[in-house]
Every structure is written in C-alpha cells, then in structure tokens.
Amino acid sequence: MTGTGIRLHAPAPGWSIDADVVVVGSGVAGLTAALRCEAAGLRTVVVTKARLDDGSTRWAQGGIAAALGEGDTPGQHLDDTLVAGAGLCDEEAVRILVTEGPDAVRRLIATGARFDESADGGLALTREGGHHRRRIAHAGGDATGAEISRALVGAVRARGMRAIENALVLDLLTDADGRTAGVTLHVMGEGQHDGVGAVHAPAVVLATGGMGQVFSATTNPAVSTGDGVALALRAGAEVSDLEFVQFHPTVLFLGPDAEGQQPLVSEAVRGEGAHLVDADGVRFMRGQHELAELAPRDIVAKGITRRMRERGADHMFLDARHFGAEMWEHRFPTILAACRAHGIDPVTEPVPVAPAAHYASGGVRTDSHGRTTVPGLYACGEVACTGVHGANRLASNSLLEGLVYAERIAADIAAARAAGALPARVPHPVASPQRPAHPLLAPEARFTIQRIMTDGAGVLRSAASLARAADRLQRLHGEAREALADNGKTAEPGVDTWEATNLLCVARVLVAAAALREETRGCHWREDRPDRDDTNWRRHIAVTLNPDRTLAIRTTDTADFPPTARPQEQ
C-alpha cells in the first residue's frame, strides 16, 4: 500500500504530541469511538474542527432508528433499509447495523442520553419515511442530536480525555511502510497548541462528518466541507458512492437566493401526520407511493421537485396546522422556533419547503470493522461508506450507524493492540508533510464551487449538466496547478483556503461518479437516464487519487463491497 504523496500546502508542524489513537471529529461516531478506545486503555486524543459539541450530530432532529418496540425485529428493520438503499446496500453491513443497533442504543442510554418516554415509561417511538414500524427514538421532541451530543461530550469531559478543539486536520502522516502514523492539523486561535502541529499515533479514526457545503443550500453546518474524504483521497484511500447525496425533501424555504445552512423540517413531522401540498392545497404525494409522504426520502424529494416543475414554483408546502399549538410546542419546539424566527407560524399556516443537500451516503470505503484501504486508517459516521446506506439512506439510520461502527472500530483497534499488530509507537520516520504541496484555492472559490455543484449536480442531473460542472471544476483545478507550476504561487495557507481546496477535491469525485453512473437510482437522479439499470449498475463506483492528481475510477463486480485489504494484509 503506497499513498499518493500529495499533501496540502501548509507550514511544517511546530509542535507534536503522541497517542495510541487520534479520533478526528466530535459527533456521535467520533465521541463513541473515543470513549470506547479510552475504556480499552488506549491513549486517545479527540481533534475537532470547532468545539466538542458543535458537530453535525447536534443538528439531528428526527431521532435514532432501532428495533426497540414491541413486535419490531432487526429483520424488519433490515428489510426497510434494503428497500431504501435501492439495491446497493451491502446486506452483511446492514445486518450488523440492525442486530447490534438495539444494544448500542441501550449503551448510549447508559452513558447518560435521555430519550423521550411514553406514558407507560417505555421509549416513545415514532415513524419516519421508509419505516413500516414505529422505531425512531427521540429526545426533547425534535432535539435528539443535541441530547446525544450533550451526553457524549459530558462523558468525554468527565473522563478528562484529551481534546484539541478548533483544529482543522490537514493530512494523514504515514511511516516508511505506508502505514498510518498520525495527522497534521492547524489549531485556530490561541490555546495550548497554536498553528500547525502533529498528533503521532498508529491508528487514526476519521469521523469528520459530511460535505454538504459543496452545495449552495444544505442542512449541514459550515464546518462540513468534506475534509475527511479529501484527506483520505490524498492519503491514497478509496472512496465510494459519492454520487449518492441525499437531498432532504423538507428544508425550510428561505427564498431562491438563500445560501449556506438552512433550517431542517424533520421527517418526523410527516411521521406524525403532516401533509405535503402545493399552493392550491393538493396532496400530490398520494398515488406516487404506497407510503405517500412517508415514502423514502429520494422518492419524496423527486415528488416535490416534479410538482415544482409542473407548477413553475420554487417550493411546496408542509401542512401541519391540524397538529394544534400544544403538539407543535411539545413535540417540535426546535422546528417551531426556527419557523417563527423566519416569520412563519406552522400552527396557523403551511410551511414553505424545498429539497436541500443533507447527507452523503458515500464516503471513505470501509469494511465491517471500519478499516479503510490505508492500514491503520479507520472511518465511521457520515464520512465513511460502510455499505449500510446503499443508494439512499433510510431515515434515522445515520446516528445508529455512527454508534454501531464506532464501537466496532474501537474493538478492532483494541484487539490489534492486544495481538501486537498495533505498535505502541510509530516505528519509522514520518514522511515529510511538505512533499509535494497541493496548490490552494482562494477563499472565494468556495462559493464558485457551490454554485457549480448546485447547477450541475443537484437534485436533477444529466450528462450535459454534469459535463458543464466537470469542465468548470477542472478549470479551477487547472488554474491553481498552473499558478503553482509557473511561478510557485498558491493562495495563502489558512482555514478558508484549505476548506475551498478540500471542497474542490470532493466535488470533482462526486461529479465524475455521477457522470459515470448512467441510470437513476436512489438519490442519484439522472433526468436523461430515468430508469434504474440493475444489469449494468447494481454495483459501486470506487475512486482513488493518482499521484498526478487525476482520478482513478473503477466499478465493483457486485453490490457487495470487496475487502479493504489485500490477503497478506489481513
């Protein structure tokens, strides 16, 4: 296994610390992995781009799915997940998720997370799109992510675990054999460590979240700039299924020119009986799917988009006036407050909604233990592609996936240490983080990339739109390379330029994969290829980065993931 040798242009590390494991990210996946590693006696350092409680997890409204209700079974949860995944789920990965999920949720409760209870003292469970049973546990009505984040951050702080906040991870460090040896990172502001430094560790867990900021309108926070996927690509890791970006059907519509993070109107609102209607009050999802408004997200997003095109409108409406004030205030207080902050009162009027980028089903390809194709590098949560989600994530499976696969990663690292396969120290000199420097984009390129991606690779895609997007992205890429080659100039290293460069990296891969997949499947909607093609495309698209920064693209033989390691590396 050899890496690309490509690294971001950055100053040399001015400080370093040692650890057994460095976990990058502080959402449900990252903090669960860190807590389990620490409990196994591994010196664990958490690195997070903002504060410990500022990750994507705290924005999760709906809940966490698991077969915890009477009459529900992991088998039924598996069936719903496979249907939503549109033929591309790795069935063994899903089986792991649904069978280990209930106990993982119980361990989360034991950690301190408090979920809403029913009148009889059991968990209050609700339904969301694609689920045939009530199996979604929630907290604070619609503040599940915030409660999970509170509990996990509290546990990390109670254990005195080392955490480096406000730190953007730059690149993976590798030893002379190509194994993981830690990360370089830049700490923003004043603190114990400032500027560029390094954490040396033989195991790195990527839990950096998504890449929603590659589009103009998204539910993702500003920190979701695809840093983990870009880092993994530069390190030589394989990424998969990046074309499958889920656009959440019901995001609060703030106007045609709104950009950045948009307020989410949780699927749980539809789960409790809200209706999707057009400006005339017509329920247009009836007849499009047996579950109507509770169909899987890709179907609802397409239904909304079709109706918008038919009516020449830029949004539809979610009508839940029949809930009444009391239900809104107690079941959905966060959404109610967000709507009212923007001048909309869902108690008395329908809520304007439109699809926006929400979740990346693809990411850094892993096996069932979270191992990537780079030895010692693990990934979990939204940054990873475990095979669980296939072509379209089932609602509320994301928090569960973060829990289950984070625990499996921690168990694998602990087992490797016990077997002597994980060195106590990095045994070889670390490759210089300075060779060769990746040219950086100017900060304003971020907005250019977002507009290119929204125009060419959004909810609706075609060969023509994707070709235009690829050409415009390549021009950005080429101009940065030429400036570096001709006069050694590149944008000044800094958070804004590193983020813009990472966004360009993931955007190029997403567009290349979307152009190659000549079919419509799950949340990948090709209007010029409207049919699903199982004969040719019931398989995954995997991408790596060549040393010359071109993309190497291949397809798998089946819908199952191949091993991440060669036989001699197992």
Side-chain angles (χ1 to χ4, degrees):
M1 171 68 211
T2 58
T4 65
I6 301 170
R7 298 184 186 278
L8 287 175
H9 185 81
W15 54 270
S16 66
I17 59 175
D18 293 318
D20 296 322
V21 184
V22 55
V23 176
V24 187
S26 61
V28 63
L31 295 186
T32 298
L35 287 165
R36 299 293 180 266
C37 285
E38 182 83 5
L42 297 162
R43 293 175 302 155
T44 305
V45 173
V46 176
V47 176
T48 185
K49 195 172 178 182
R51 293 178 58 82
L52 275 179
D53 56 359
D54 277 347
S56 292
T57 290
R58 77 182 182 96
W59 298 100
Q61 294 175 345
I64 185 167
L68 295 162
E70 185 177 352
D72 198 4
T73 65
Q76 294 175 69
H77 191 182
L78 181 143
D79 290 343
D80 286 345
T81 301
L82 295 180
V83 169
L88 271 192
C89 296
D90 183 292
E91 188 165 341
E92 180 55 28
V94 178
R95 196 174 305 279
I96 289 168
L97 178 82
V98 299
T99 55
E100 297 183 10
D103 283 342
V105 172
R106 294 183 185 103
R107 284 188 289 273
L108 177 61
I109 293 170
T111 302
R114 297 188 293 265
F115 289 93
D116 296 341
E117 296 182 350
S118 58
D120 61 6
L123 286 175
L125 301 174
T126 190
R127 275 182 69 194
E128 291 184 4
H131 294 272
H132 283 80
R133 283 192 175 273
R134 286 183 170 264
R135 64 168 66 97
I136 317 299
H138 50 82
D142 58 359
T144 308
E147 171 57 20
I148 290 173
S149 180
R150 180 205 63 77
L152 292 175
V153 169
V156 165
R157 288 178 173 156
R159 296 188 185 186
M161 194 177 300
R162 189 165 195 171
I164 303 175
E165 297 179 297
N166 302 306
L168 172 63
V169 168
L170 302 175
D171 282 302
L172 190 74
L173 295 172
T174 52
D175 65 21
D177 295 329
R179 283 192 56 87
T180 293
V183 293
T184 56
L185 65 159
H186 173 78
V187 180
M188 299 165 262
E190 297 180 1
Q192 185 177 359
H193 301 292
D194 296 321
V196 175
V199 180
H200 298 290
V204 171
V205 181
L206 292 179
T208 52
M211 54 185 190
Q213 289 292 326
V214 79
F215 294 97
S216 296
T218 178
T219 63
N220 289 191
V223 295
S224 297
T225 50
D227 307 319
V229 171
L231 174 151
L233 281 162
R234 289 192 296 272
E238 192 170 73
V239 304
S240 186
D241 299 356
L242 244 60
E243 69 271 31
F244 295 117
V245 176
Q246 186 178 82
F247 286 77
H248 198 287
T250 53
V251 175
L252 186 62
F253 181 73
L254 301 180
D257 299 322
E259 294 184 332
Q261 186 178 9
Q262 313 286 304
L264 178 66
V265 182
S266 170
E267 194 146 343
V269 178
R270 281 175 281 136
E272 295 292 355
H275 306 143
L276 281 166
V277 299
D278 60 20
D280 294 328
V282 176
R283 287 182 63 186
F284 55 86
M285 283 305 299
R286 281 178 166 172
Q288 294 199 35
H289 190 276
E290 61 169 333
L291 296 176
E293 284 94 350
L294 282 176
R297 286 179 178 173
D298 64 308
I299 294 171
V300 179
K302 290 171 187 174
I304 291 173
T305 303
R306 284 194 192 99
R307 194 66 162 190
M308 285 163 53
R309 294 176 77 182
E310 291 169 3
R311 300 298 302 268
D314 49 18
H315 65 281
M316 289 287 113
F317 295 92
L318 189 65
D319 191 352
R321 289 174 290 179
H322 54 285
F323 284 5
E326 184 177 356
M327 181 172 176
W328 269 110
E329 290 165 1
H330 289 89
R331 181 66 179 87
F332 301 111
T334 306
I335 299 169
L336 178 63
C339 289
R340 286 177 169 170
H342 291 282
I344 301 154
D345 189 348
V347 177
T348 60
E349 60 187 313
V351 178
V353 294
H358 181 58
Y359 189 88
S361 292
V364 186
R365 188 169 76 81
T366 74
D367 65 9
S368 61
H369 298 281
R371 297 177 289 217
T372 74
T373 54
V374 175
L377 178 65
Y378 295 79
C380 56
E382 190 173 354
V383 71
C385 185
T386 62
V388 158
H389 304 307
N392 182 49
R393 174 176 68 89
L394 181 65
S396 289
N397 267 359
S398 53
L399 292 175
L400 190 71
E401 183 198 30
L403 273 182
V404 168
Y405 282 88
E407 291 188 342
R408 292 179 72 84
I409 285 172
D412 191 75
I413 295 173
R417 168 55 60 82
L422 185 74
R425 306 182 46 146
V426 176
H428 300 288
V430 172
S432 168
Q434 291 298 96
R435 63 164 185 87
H438 195 297
L440 301 179
L441 300 181
E444 56 268 24
R446 175 178 184 143
F447 305 105
T448 303
I449 293 165
Q450 289 173 335
R451 293 183 185 114
I452 290 170
M453 294 299 289
T454 298
D455 292 342
V459 178
L460 278 174
R461 304 165 179 177
S462 67
S465 75
L466 291 164
R468 287 194 301 272
D471 180 65
R472 294 172 68 190
L473 293 172
Q474 184 57 38
R475 268 184 276 158
L476 281 176
H477 178 69
E479 288 166 4
R481 289 190 63 178
E482 288 168 12
L484 186 63
D486 292 347
N487 52 32
K489 288 187 177 180
T490 187
E492 188 70 22
V495 173
D496 290 345
T497 57
W498 289 321
E499 286 184 334
T501 303
N502 285 339
L503 283 171
L504 178 60
C505 180
V506 297
R508 290 176 63 217
V509 176
L510 193 161
V511 168
L516 182 60
R517 184 174 290 280
E518 295 183 329
E519 65 159 355
T520 290
R521 182 186 297 271
C523 52
H524 171 66
W525 188 6
R526 286 280 298 263
E527 55 182 336
D528 58 333
R529 300 280 183 169
D531 299 320
R532 173 169 153 174
D533 181 1
D534 280 349
T535 301
N536 296 304
W537 287 110
R538 192 163 179 257
R539 59 193 69 206
H540 302 276
I541 296 174
V543 183
T544 54
L545 191 63
N546 292 320
D548 65 357
R549 302 184 184 92
T550 58
L551 303 179
I553 305 178
R554 72 180 182 92
T555 58
T556 60
D557 295 330
T558 69
D560 295 330
F561 275 172
T564 54
R566 294 186 294 268
Q568 63 268 28
E569 295 174 340
Q570 298 280 1

